[in-house]
Amino acid sequence: MFNHDTLRSNIKEKGLKKATNLMLSTEVLAEAKKLGINIPKACDAFLESLVRQEKERLWKLENAKFISEYNQITEEEEEGLPLDKWRAF
């Protein structure tokens, strides 16, 4: 049975949805339908993962200098890790 309240709740949890047109391989689409895969949900999940990976890649690129400098500091024997002298393990 269709429940509008559940639908509204799901949309609020995941954010608003926007209709879009996609060109998909007919063979892959047919196989996905045979397997009962929810195409919009699968596409949304994959795109979400791809966006997360790209954001991470860009963050690493933008912060590469800081990361490199920090790694050099922590690798030097004289410096060590911050607060290392208070470590109990």
Side-chain angles (χ1 to χ4, degrees):
M1 182 167 175
F2 186 74
N3 185 332
H4 288 287
D5 292 333
T6 303
L7 178 61
R8 285 189 198 105
S9 172
N10 289 341
I11 289 173
K12 285 181 183 178
E13 288 175 16
K14 287 295 248 177
L16 296 176
K17 303 288 183 179
K18 178 164 176 69
T20 185
N21 291 327
L22 295 174
M23 298 296 288
L24 302 172
S25 163
T26 54
E27 291 175 11
V28 173
L29 185 59
E31 287 296 316
K33 285 183 179 182
K34 281 184 198 175
L35 295 169
I37 295 172
N38 181 324
I39 307 299
K41 187 175 181 179
C43 289
D44 194 44
F46 178 75
L47 188 56
E48 183 179 346
S49 172
L50 195 59
V51 166
R52 185 174 41 256
Q53 290 172 14
E54 183 63 10
K55 283 182 171 182
E56 182 178 334
R57 186 189 72 78
L58 291 174
W59 183 90
K60 287 178 180 178
L61 189 63
E62 291 168 2
N63 293 284
K65 183 179 176 189
F66 170 80
I67 293 168
S68 176
E69 290 173 1
Y70 183 80
N71 286 339
Q72 284 179 342
I73 290 170
T74 58
E75 289 171 2
E76 293 175 5
E77 288 184 33
E78 305 97 43
E79 295 277 339
L81 293 171
L83 308 176
D84 199 27
K85 61 185 173 185
W86 292 288
R87 186 167 56 175
F89 53 92

